[in-house]
């Protein structure tokens, strides 16, 4: 089984980051188990979209943007799409990288609570990530991620079990959808933090690193479904844990751990801190990596992860995260631009993904089935709603 696990683990690690932990904590603290159904829908949508991206990567042996660029024959349309993708991924990931490193720093601070060390922790974590990316091949990174995601998964699931949740309430939350008052924005945020546009590019590129034959399609599907399903289980475990924690105010992903300690002891707190550290590190690795793969596809760089320009891109993204965090810079305008760009990018990429995966000239007999297209269309409609909400929220109309 574990030989078939690969790129999907990196995708799962990418969406279960400090932002997701904070959002799931907020959802559980405010609405109990009521929004578990939103997470379930998000996970299914992610499996469907990532499955398409992985299939395109395997069949074409190209990055997703490479395929889109070749298939868009009208120059001005192609240029607009490339500009949106580059803007959203490069600038967005650089802005969000500070949050990823910050999450890992919060977790590490709890494990080594010496005040004199705190100013140096972001640089230390940034240095560790730099070394992992600089010296690691895809195969090494894959093994590291399997370990980190395993640690993260065990940590959060153990926390959920410690709180002794009601199984009946969990089942109701999963399969009896209801929208609590003032819950719409939280639902949209839960979906937005799970269905991540840059993961589509990351997945297609990583699949061709691991597999090179159409006969491996079952392995790709297995990897996608199992890995993202386990990532979703982690998100649900965080929400379930937060439902039992008496949290009055939520500012970051660690607030739940602080609230759990008086009720369930030091062990719950430690598991949360370890899980947060693992989540921060994995997301802080995948964000620069995805940005580099997108740039590589845009400009046609050869050599994969060992290309100097590829390394320069992820290095700049990583450096931005460390600098923003170390000097307490609040890049609000940059983050707002990233939110708008990602809000536009998700429906654009969902539409392009659906278009490419149905082209016989590209996919041959591996095109979408009617059922896959039905799921795909439903996800595109929701992606348009989600993207519109993101843009309107930033410009102050939502």
């Amino acid at each position: 089984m574990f030989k078939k696990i690969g790129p999907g683990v990196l995708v799962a690690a990418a969406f279960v980051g400090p932002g997701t932990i904070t959002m799931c904590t907020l959802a559980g603290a405010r609405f109990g188990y009521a929004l578990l159904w939103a997470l379930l829908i998000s996970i299914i949508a992610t499996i469907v979209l990532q499955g398409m991206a992985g299939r395109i990567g395997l069949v074409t042996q190209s990055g997703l943007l490479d395929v889109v660029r070749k298939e868009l024959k009208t120059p001005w349309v192609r240029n607009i799409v490339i500009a949106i993708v580059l803007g959203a991924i490069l600038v967005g990931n650089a802005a969000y990288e500070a949050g990823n490193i910050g999450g890992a720093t919060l977790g590490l601070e709890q494990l080594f609570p010496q005040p004199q060390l705190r100013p140096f922790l972001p640089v230390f974590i940034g240095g560790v990530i730099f070394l992992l990316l600089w010296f690691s091949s895809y195969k090494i990174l894959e093994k590291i991620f399997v370990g980190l995601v395993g640690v993260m998964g065990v940590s959060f699931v153990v926390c959920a079990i410690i709180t002794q949740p009601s199984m009946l309430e969990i089942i109701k939350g999963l399969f009896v959808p209801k929208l609590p008052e003032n819950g719409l924005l939280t639902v949209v945020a839960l979906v937005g933090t799970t269905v991540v546009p840059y993961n589509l590019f990351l997945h297609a590129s990583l699949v061709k690193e691991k597999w090179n034959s159409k006969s491996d399609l079952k392995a790709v599907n297995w990897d996608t479904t199992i890995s993202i399903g386990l990532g979703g289980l982690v998100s649900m475990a965080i929400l379930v844990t937060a439902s039992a924690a008496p949290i009055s105010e939520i500012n970051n992903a660690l607030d739940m751990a602080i609230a759990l300690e008086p009720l369930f002891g030091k062990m719950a707190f430690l598991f949360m801190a370890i899980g947060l550290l693992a989540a921060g590190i994995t997301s802080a690795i995948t964000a620069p990596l995805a940005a580099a793969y997108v740039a590589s596809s845009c400009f046609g760089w050869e050599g994969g992860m060992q290309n100097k320009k590829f390394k320069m891109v992820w290095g700049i993204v990583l450096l931005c995260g460390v600098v923003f965090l170390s000097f307490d810079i609040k890049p609000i305008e940059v983050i707002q631009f990233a939110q708008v760009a990602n809000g536009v990018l998700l429906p654009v990429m969902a539409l392009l993904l659906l278009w490419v995966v149905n082209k016989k000239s590209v996919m041959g007999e591996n095109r979408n089935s009617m059922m896959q297209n039905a799921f795909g269309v439903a996800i595109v409609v929701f992606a348009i709603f989600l993207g519109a909400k993101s843009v309107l929220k930033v410009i102050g109309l939502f």
Side-chain angles (χ1 to χ4, degrees):
M1 181 182 76
F2 289 104
K3 288 183 180 178
K4 296 179 182 178
I5 296 294
V9 171
L10 277 76
V11 172
F15 76 74
V16 185
T20 299
I21 295 170
T22 302
M23 205 60 243
C24 291
T25 301
L26 191 147
R30 289 185 181 174
F31 305 110
Y33 306 117
L35 296 184
L36 278 170
W37 62 269
L39 268 180
L40 181 61
I41 289 173
S42 306
I43 294 155
I44 293 169
T46 304
I47 289 171
V48 171
L49 288 178
Q50 296 294 157
M52 292 181 197
R55 197 163 8 121
I56 290 170
L58 179 73
V59 171
T60 65
Q61 285 297 292
S62 299
L64 182 55
L65 200 58
D66 287 317
V67 179
V68 169
R69 195 180 60 200
K70 288 173 188 172
E71 294 303 314
L72 288 173
K73 306 300 182 186
T74 309
W76 69 269
V77 174
R78 182 170 61 242
N79 292 338
I80 287 173
V81 169
I82 289 174
I84 291 172
V85 170
L86 270 176
I89 302 298
L90 297 183
V91 179
N93 286 14
Y96 297 141
E97 183 70 352
N100 294 330
I101 296 173
T105 302
L106 278 173
L108 198 59
E109 279 178 6
Q110 308 316 307
L111 299 174
F112 301 97
Q114 285 82 17
Q116 66 271 23
L117 293 178
R118 287 180 184 176
F120 305 102
L121 291 181
V123 176
F124 171 74
I125 289 171
V128 169
I129 293 164
F130 179 88
L131 291 173
L132 286 173
L133 284 169
W134 186 270
F135 292 107
S136 297
S137 63
Y138 165 72
K139 288 183 178 180
I140 294 171
L141 277 182
E142 184 185 285
K143 290 175 182 176
I144 291 168
F145 268 72
V146 168
L148 286 172
V149 170
V151 169
M152 180 170 67
V154 169
S155 298
F156 290 128
V157 170
V158 166
C159 275
I161 293 169
I162 287 172
T163 62
Q164 297 181 335
S166 164
M167 288 306 299
L168 181 61
E169 291 298 315
I170 289 175
I171 291 168
K172 283 170 62 179
L174 281 170
F175 302 110
V176 184
K178 62 179 179 180
L179 188 63
E181 188 177 351
N182 300 321
L184 179 60
L185 286 180
T186 306
V187 169
V188 175
L190 283 173
V191 177
T193 196
T194 306
V195 188
V196 183
Y198 80 70
N199 279 344
L200 299 172
F201 303 97
L202 182 65
H203 199 185
S205 296
L206 293 178
V207 162
K208 70 183 180 67
E209 295 268 2
K210 185 174 178 69
W211 293 292
N212 54 25
S213 169
K214 293 178 185 178
S215 62
D216 292 316
L217 187 56
K218 282 187 177 179
V220 173
N221 292 336
W222 169 271
D223 170 52
T224 302
T225 305
I226 297 299
S227 298
I228 294 173
L230 289 173
L233 179 65
V234 171
S235 296
M236 289 180 183
I238 296 163
L239 190 151
V240 167
T241 306
S243 301
I247 310 171
S248 56
E249 187 178 352
I250 300 168
N251 296 309
N252 59 55
L254 194 67
D255 287 337
M256 179 166 62
I258 295 166
L260 284 173
E261 188 172 12
L263 286 177
F264 304 108
K266 192 72 176 174
M267 286 303 291
F269 182 82
L270 286 174
F271 274 115
M272 278 295 302
I274 291 168
L276 181 56
L277 174 62
I281 289 176
T282 53
S283 293
I285 293 173
T286 52
L289 201 57
Y293 273 121
V294 168
S296 181
S297 290
C298 276
F299 301 113
W301 298 335
E302 301 291 335
M305 289 180 65
Q306 303 310 313
N307 184 289
K308 289 181 180 178
K309 293 175 184 175
F310 185 97
K311 290 182 175 183
M312 181 183 71
V313 172
W314 63 247
I316 291 170
V317 172
L318 179 59
L319 180 64
C320 286
V322 173
V323 169
F324 288 159
L325 194 64
S326 298
F327 295 96
D328 200 26
I329 298 170
K330 307 291 185 187
I332 298 301
E333 292 81 7
V334 179
I335 289 175
Q336 285 185 334
F337 170 80
Q339 287 174 334
V340 171
N342 276 326
V344 174
L345 180 62
L346 181 56
V348 167
M349 285 315 304
L351 279 167
L352 287 172
L353 199 63
L354 205 55
W355 172 61
V356 169
V357 86
N358 279 289
K359 283 184 74 77
K360 190 173 183 179
S361 59
V362 177
M363 300 301 293
E365 61 184 16
N366 294 296
R367 288 175 296 167
N368 264 6
S369 65
M370 285 185 66
M371 180 67 74
Q372 287 170 324
N373 277 331
F375 274 117
V377 169
I379 292 167
V380 165
V381 170
F382 193 77
I384 291 170
F385 165 73
L386 188 69
K389 175 260 161 192
S390 299
V391 174
L392 291 174
K393 182 182 177 185
V394 167
I395 63 178
L397 297 178
F398 194 97

